[in-house]
Amino acid sequence: MQKSNTMSILFTLFFTALAVYFLIPSYTLYKKDSEEQRKEINNNPDLRTKIINLGLDLQGGMRLVLEVDRSEVKKEAQKDLLDRAYTIIENRINGLGLTEPTIQKQGTDRLIIELPGLNDEKVAKEVIGSTAQLKFHVVRDVATRDKAILAIDNALRGVKVTEEVEKESASKDIETGDNIFTGSDNVEETVADTTNESSTTTSETETVTVVGKKITEYLTQIGGDIAVLEKDRFKVDELLNNEKVVTALKKGFSRSMFLWGHDVISSKGTTQKYRSLYFVKEKEAMSGENIEEAHPDVARDGFSAGAAIVSLKFNVKGARKFSRVTAQNIENRLAIVLDNTVYSAPTINEKISMGSAQISGSFTMDEARNLAVVLQAGALPAPVEIIEERTIGPSLGRDSITKATYAAIIGFGLVMIFMAIYYKGAGILAIVALFMNVIFVLAIMASFGATLTLPGIAGLILIMGMSVDANVIIFERIKEELKLGKGVITSIDAGYDRAFVTIMDANITTLFTAIVLYNVGSGPIRGFAITMIFGIMVSLFTALTFTKMVFHLLTASGKVKKLSI
Amino acid sequence: MELLSKAKFNFIGNRKKAFIISGIFILLTIVSLIVRGGPNLSIDFSGGTALQFKFEEDISPKLNELKEVLTGLNLGTPEVKLIGTPDETGSEVQIIIKKKEDGTAVGDRVKSAMSEKFPELKKELRREEKVGPKIGKELQSNAIWAVLLSLLVIVVYIGIRFRFAYGVAAIVALFHDVVITIGIFSMLNWEISLPIVAAILTIVGYSLNDTIVVFDRIRENLDGKKGDKASFEDQINSSINQTLSRTIITSLTTFVVVATIFAFFMNTADVLKYFSGALIIGIISGTYSSIFIAAPTLVVWNKKWPIEKH
């Protein structure tokens, strides 16, 4: 009896020490501040399998589920569509230089991407989600463009359009319309006028039905291009998509189309924001599939020296094509179009045979870098749609951790007090077992590199409450046996024996639901299921073996006549 | 210390009253669901976009204006809510737009509209979630499957470990708990989201613990020497009374812990608020149903189909 007791004690101490050992990497990591943490994990990717990882809801970050749109993909390309998309997106993510991104395939059509610690969700979505189809289109000359616009206005005659008009400035709109195409000087004044008129921000609007609304009312000129006020963009889009307009354009200008510019620009002296509208040849002169390399750079000459640009280099085939295209289009403008948006449209002054080109625009260096990443990784074989997106800001994550930690400490404290008062000595034993449970669960999670989420913390707290239950059942049973007059050691054994069945049944059913949850859930719910599964197993173990061992230890000598329970 | 160890309540005798009380609650649930047009599904299930911002100032006077601006974007009817109470650190607002069709970049349009119309407001994005309609439907069916599967597994397990009758009694009690939880959520107009379904599944598993404690004692008593002498009702009654302290205390310890979580997250719109709220409802309901629903169901069943010994 003595020997097995010593063995038990040694085993317990050993396992506890082992648990603490497993927790050391996590402890040392999370003691550092977040910058150092990031560096540490970047340098040492294996570390993730040895620590308790924090879920996105705790450290902040973004989770995206992308679905590939197979509808327009040719049959031959269908098979490895997801794999190709996976590789390209992986390259893009790596190019963004984020810490610990993860990307996984799901089913046949989906990719799950997790970006912890992300700061700019808009950029991430753009970089990841854009199809990145690069094309070069020749821009139509001004005369053709203006004819097209006239045709649109003619088509709109007699078309009813409802719109919100500001009561006072309705007349001002028409004045602006009259003044377009008369040269840049006039435009500056008229634009300035409208700014003055609409300085009252809370003007009343009314819905009116206008017949024969002209698209020219929304158009102004900035530089050599047509521009539309940012807020009018959707209206102009509507007009351009109006069926009468589409028919008219198809009739006279079937091989051309309108494309929006990417940059938001402003005219000299105003704060109004505009977007350019280009009229280009529908069929692209060449595509971006022959780009060998793309990197961000700084413009060295020309009037935008010092601005951020993206420098492209074509492969041999591409260089030849580019040489041909530029030779055939001297004096024309070539629009550089990414995903149907025009980034810039420089004029071609001479044939370019060196196989390199520059994309300039009003980018920041960061934007140039992101664009280069996307172009370098290549176009996606099919468009992807973001069907689910969850972004948690880091401050929310931190607040949640703080609150949950307090809740855990206080909840734990209350249970401790109750157990000590109600079950006295045995209660304190239960509390020790509780401590061990928590350490063991965390250690198991660390050894698997499991992820702790906010519901996971709730799960841990729940387990603390539940593990006490097992002890309560055993203790109540022991009390009953004692009341029947049985001796101390017999009562203890009988208590554990009879309670064993009950505890197993109760915990197994909870375990079942946790397993179902693990399979059906994702992200934070999975984190919850994992902590529940580990927690239940650990608390079962400690309740049935550890506490029993301690009881035996204390009563083995046979001298104890009364249990503190 | 002893609590309730000498309890001798007549649970079974009063079962009709218990059934009526439960019946009323369930009726209230149905009424609430009808009045509100179904459960309040979060974007997890209905699809849509949710954003949560923290502003550096108290924005409550401007809430209506904000709502108008967002309604004007024609993206669907926005729900604009203040979270918690504004204090010296500012105020927090939640914007939810539920859509049946997929909108293009609803989140981006909301953000740019806010920057444009309220440029002076300094804000921080705390959370943004978008769920496409397809995924919403998938998550819905996954959730329903998960609950049904769990209930099935449980009936089978209890049926094997005890008798089929016990399985049925357990399911009746669990069903009662799930319905009551959904009902109270509906009455409070709280959203049912994925974590809430997880909470419901947890309740299903946990509520069973109490029920099993009682069943276990019932089985022990029925099989024991005294089994033949006393009537079935009396056996059940004494079983419940004998395990009362166990049942109450285990529920109490878990309740305390979960209530603490709720207390800390009460003033937020975080997952844990509703999650712990659901658990609180579940624990209370689960304890009640173990005593007043599961065991009495056995009595009712036994009247028609006597339960054999094990």
Side-chain angles (χ1 to χ4, degrees):
Chain A
M1 211 37 177
Q2 295 287 57
K3 216 177 188 175
S4 71
N5 274 341
T6 333
M7 288 302 286
S8 310
I9 299 178
L10 285 175
F11 263 130
T12 311
L13 286 175
F14 173 68
F15 277 120
T16 314
L18 195 65
V20 173
Y21 173 72
F22 273 122
L23 285 174
I24 291 177
S26 309
Y27 180 67
T28 43
L29 180 69
Y30 290 117
K31 249 182 26 164
K32 306 189 174 146
D33 67 58
S34 42
E35 269 312 304
E36 281 189 45
Q37 279 180 31
R38 235 159 274 224
K39 268 189 238 158
E40 188 70 33
I41 296 185
N42 266 341
N43 294 335
N44 207 350
D46 278 345
L47 191 56
R48 281 213 254 177
T49 54
K50 297 197 199 122
I51 56 169
I52 300 176
N53 290 293
L54 289 183
L56 284 188
D57 52 358
L58 292 178
Q59 56 171 311
M62 172 189 258
R63 178 173 194 265
L64 293 172
V65 178
L66 301 178
E67 192 173 73
V68 168
D69 181 1
R70 290 176 178 272
S71 53
E72 300 193 6
V73 175
K74 292 182 261 207
K75 214 164 164 199
E76 318 85 63
Q78 289 276 357
K79 219 174 58 152
D80 18 313
L81 194 62
L82 191 63
D83 287 326
R84 285 171 61 201
Y86 178 93
T87 320
I88 292 175
I89 291 188
E90 191 183 36
N91 286 336
R92 290 187 190 176
I93 293 177
N94 289 335
L96 281 178
L98 301 166
T99 21
E100 326 162 49
T102 56
I103 171 170
Q104 276 177 333
K105 288 185 249 188
Q106 189 190 63
T108 53
D109 284 348
R110 294 194 184 160
L111 295 172
I112 301 183
I113 300 170
E114 290 196 352
L115 306 169
L118 179 68
N119 275 323
D120 194 340
E121 69 275 4
K122 190 146 189 246
V123 161
K125 279 191 286 185
E126 273 178 18
V127 168
I128 294 174
S130 66
T131 317
Q133 272 268 321
L134 183 69
K135 296 199 192 145
F136 297 88
H137 290 257
V138 173
V139 179
R140 293 286 187 203
D141 58 281
V142 175
T144 320
R145 177 196 75 188
D146 292 345
K147 271 197 229 154
I149 295 187
L150 223 53
I152 295 177
D153 273 348
N154 282 334
L156 284 175
R157 243 187 264 158
V159 170
K160 288 200 185 127
V161 168
T162 51
E163 58 171 28
E164 301 255 326
V165 193
E166 288 180 6
K167 278 189 180 156
E168 297 101 301
S169 38
S171 45
K172 287 293 169 215
D173 279 353
I174 299 176
E175 272 191 46
T176 327
D178 286 343
N179 276 323
I180 67 165
F181 303 127
T182 49
S184 35
D185 302 329
N186 275 9
V187 170
E188 283 180 48
E189 288 170 41
T190 0
V191 168
D193 281 342
T194 15
T195 329
N196 286 336
E197 295 304 335
S198 28
S199 56
T200 48
T201 42
T202 49
S203 47
E204 292 169 32
T205 60
E206 55 181 35
T207 318
V208 294
T209 311
V210 176
V211 177
K213 183 86 185 175
K214 291 187 187 166
I215 201 172
T216 36
E217 290 180 31
Y218 295 105
L219 310 178
T220 39
Q221 268 210 351
I222 297 184
D225 289 314
I226 307 180
V228 173
L229 274 171
E230 183 70 14
K231 70 176 171 76
D232 289 334
R233 189 182 156 176
F234 294 102
K235 288 190 215 143
V236 172
D237 250 344
E238 257 179 51
L239 291 177
L240 286 174
N241 286 324
N242 181 292
E243 37 178 35
K244 289 231 170 101
V245 170
V246 170
T247 328
L249 285 178
K250 257 211 190 101
K251 228 169 63 171
F253 306 89
S254 60
R255 282 186 272 161
S256 308
M257 62 182 179
F258 280 99
L259 287 178
W260 288 101
H262 176 259
D263 297 337
V264 171
I265 54 185
S266 43
S267 175
K268 274 188 268 186
T270 78
T271 51
Q272 299 272 41
K273 300 219 177 94
Y274 295 83
R275 220 177 256 263
S276 306
L277 190 58
Y278 298 89
F279 197 50
V280 305
K281 251 195 190 158
E282 193 173 13
K283 179 135 174 53
E284 70 268 16
M286 72 179 278
S287 74
E289 59 190 1
N290 294 314
I291 292 182
E292 184 172 270
E293 193 261 323
H295 64 262
D297 209 342
V298 170
R300 265 159 254 258
D301 46 25
F303 70 163
S304 55
I309 56 167
V310 175
S311 202
L312 302 175
K313 193 163 180 310
F314 290 106
N315 58 18
V316 172
K317 193 167 165 207
R320 238 182 289 149
K321 237 184 181 177
F322 196 56
S323 169
R324 212 181 336 123
V325 166
T326 46
Q328 289 172 349
N329 283 291
I330 302 194
E331 296 290 302
N332 281 337
R333 295 170 69 187
L334 191 64
I336 304 180
V337 179
L338 187 66
D339 286 338
N340 293 325
T341 313
V342 177
Y343 271 69
S344 70
T347 315
I348 300 179
N349 293 318
E350 56 185 10
K351 162 168 141 177
I352 301 176
S353 47
M354 284 194 318
S356 60
Q358 286 177 351
I359 305 180
S360 56
S362 54
F363 319 128
T364 57
M365 204 51 188
D366 279 336
E367 288 167 341
R369 211 188 331 247
N370 292 333
L371 188 52
V373 165
V374 163
L375 290 174
Q376 175 96 38
L380 283 173
V384 294
E385 188 192 335
I386 299 179
I387 52 177
E388 186 184 335
E389 169 199 331
R390 315 240 183 200
T391 308
I392 306 275
S395 72
L396 188 61
R398 278 195 296 271
D399 282 353
S400 300
I401 296 183
T402 316
K403 288 200 177 85
T405 313
Y406 276 131
I409 295 177
I410 293 188
F412 187 26
L414 289 171
V415 170
M416 259 170 63
I417 294 175
F418 175 79
M419 288 301 277
I421 294 179
Y422 196 80
Y423 290 109
K424 296 173 271 212
I428 297 191
L429 178 59
I431 293 168
V432 172
L434 192 54
F435 266 118
M436 288 181 58
N437 280 345
V438 174
I439 295 182
F440 280 146
V441 172
L442 291 176
I444 294 180
M445 287 184 70
S447 68
F448 277 106
T451 305
L452 184 65
T453 60
L454 193 56
I457 297 184
L460 274 179
I461 299 178
L462 194 60
I463 293 291
M464 287 202 268
M466 285 172 63
S467 64
V468 163
D469 292 357
N471 286 310
V472 167
I473 293 176
I474 295 170
F475 294 168
E476 287 292 318
R477 199 76 215 205
I478 294 179
K479 275 158 99 162
E480 258 186 320
E481 300 289 324
L482 284 173
K483 261 193 270 176
L484 289 175
K486 301 193 186 156
V488 165
I489 298 181
T490 331
S491 299
I492 293 175
D493 284 339
Y496 274 92
D497 272 340
R498 277 265 82 227
F500 181 81
V501 164
T502 316
I503 295 175
M504 284 302 284
D505 282 338
N507 279 305
I508 284 185
T509 47
T510 318
L511 194 61
F512 277 153
T513 50
I515 292 176
V516 167
L517 262 179
Y518 181 79
N519 283 315
V520 163
S522 59
I525 302 301
R526 260 206 176 173
F528 173 72
I530 289 215
T531 43
M532 288 296 280
I533 290 173
F534 289 146
I536 291 174
M537 297 194 308
V538 167
S539 78
L540 261 179
F541 176 76
T542 44
L544 294 170
T545 57
F546 170 70
T547 48
K548 188 174 186 181
M549 174 195 93
V550 174
F551 270 121
H552 274 154
L553 268 178
L554 295 175
T555 59
S557 54
K559 288 197 206 141
V560 179
K561 294 294 169 209
K562 190 162 176 241
L563 271 184
S564 166
I565 192 170
Chain B
M1 231 169 102
E2 293 292 327
L3 205 68
L4 301 169
S5 57
K6 305 230 173 25
K8 276 199 168 59
F9 301 107
N10 186 3
F11 294 109
I12 299 302
N14 286 314
R15 67 177 181 279
K16 288 232 170 67
K17 284 196 202 131
F19 283 156
I20 291 176
I21 294 179
S22 291
I24 292 178
F25 258 108
I26 295 186
L27 202 64
L28 282 174
T29 301
I30 296 179
V31 166
S32 175
L33 285 175
I34 293 179
V35 163
R36 295 205 192 267
N40 182 359
L41 297 179
S42 81
I43 58 169
D44 288 341
F45 300 123
S46 67
T49 308
L51 300 113
Q52 188 172 327
F53 291 103
K54 182 154 181 136
F55 296 96
E56 283 185 9
E57 52 177 83
D58 182 356
I59 198 191
S60 31
K62 299 199 182 136
L63 277 185
N64 278 326
E65 205 185 318
L66 181 58
K67 189 162 181 187
E68 274 174 34
V69 167
L70 295 177
T71 317
L73 293 175
N74 277 332
L75 297 166
T77 331
E79 216 183 278
V80 180
K81 259 190 333 196
L82 199 64
I83 299 174
T85 37
D87 56 24
E88 65 278 355
T89 59
S91 55
E92 244 178 279
V93 166
Q94 190 180 62
I95 299 173
I96 301 178
I97 302 183
K98 293 186 186 167
K99 285 178 75 67
K100 293 249 153 45
E101 333 82 45
D102 199 11
T104 32
V106 169
D108 290 334
R109 295 209 41 203
V110 167
K111 282 184 257 182
S112 55
M114 284 179 72
S115 302
E116 198 187 300
K117 291 284 157 73
F118 302 91
E120 71 286 356
L121 283 180
K122 287 222 187 90
K123 63 182 190 296
E124 180 203 337
L125 181 68
R126 297 268 270 176
R127 173 199 357 232
E128 178 179 348
E129 304 191 44
K130 171 202 151 167
V131 177
K134 218 194 299 184
I135 279 232
K137 290 208 184 76
E138 271 178 36
L139 292 177
Q140 252 189 58
S141 66
N142 279 353
I144 297 180
W145 270 117
V147 175
L148 289 178
L149 186 62
S150 299
L151 288 175
L152 183 66
V153 165
I154 286 167
V155 176
V156 168
Y157 184 77
I158 302 280
I160 293 175
R161 295 286 293 145
F162 298 82
R163 288 245 173 261
F164 181 64
Y166 291 77
V168 171
I171 288 295
V172 170
L174 290 177
F175 206 73
H176 164 272
D177 296 336
V178 173
V179 170
I180 298 263
T181 309
I182 295 181
I184 296 190
F185 262 67
S186 175
M187 288 187 240
L188 292 170
N189 210 19
W190 281 2
E191 280 188 337
I192 305 233
S193 61
L194 270 176
I196 302 306
V197 175
I200 290 180
L201 279 174
T202 311
I203 292 171
V204 163
Y206 183 78
S207 159
L208 211 49
N209 290 2
D210 283 342
T211 318
I212 286 179
V213 165
V214 177
F215 280 1
D216 211 54
R217 181 52 59 99
I218 292 176
R219 174 173 57 183
E220 198 184 317
N221 285 345
L222 285 179
D223 287 352
K225 291 176 228 150
K226 301 184 196 155
D228 300 316
K229 295 184 194 160
S231 76
F232 193 77
E233 273 99 354
D234 287 338
Q235 299 274 28
I236 307 275
N237 238 348
S238 41
S239 303
I240 303 177
N241 279 300
Q242 284 160 17
T243 53
L244 201 57
S245 59
R246 212 152 320 186
T247 316
I248 301 286
I249 292 175
T250 54
S251 299
L252 195 65
T253 49
T254 318
F255 177 84
V256 159
V257 154
V258 172
T260 316
I261 301 179
F262 184 73
F264 274 94
F265 284 87
M266 239 176 16
N267 277 327
T268 67
D270 285 348
V271 150
L272 281 198
K273 169 182 174 181
Y274 304 104
F275 188 73
S276 55
L279 288 178
I280 290 178
I281 299 171
I283 292 172
I284 299 176
S285 171
T287 316
Y288 172 87
S289 68
S290 300
I291 300 172
F292 288 105
I293 307 279
T297 307
L298 277 181
V299 171
V300 171
W301 181 281
N302 185 63
K303 288 221 161 99
K304 198 137 185 243
W305 303 285
I307 300 174
E308 307 151 17
K309 283 221 213 179
H310 298 84

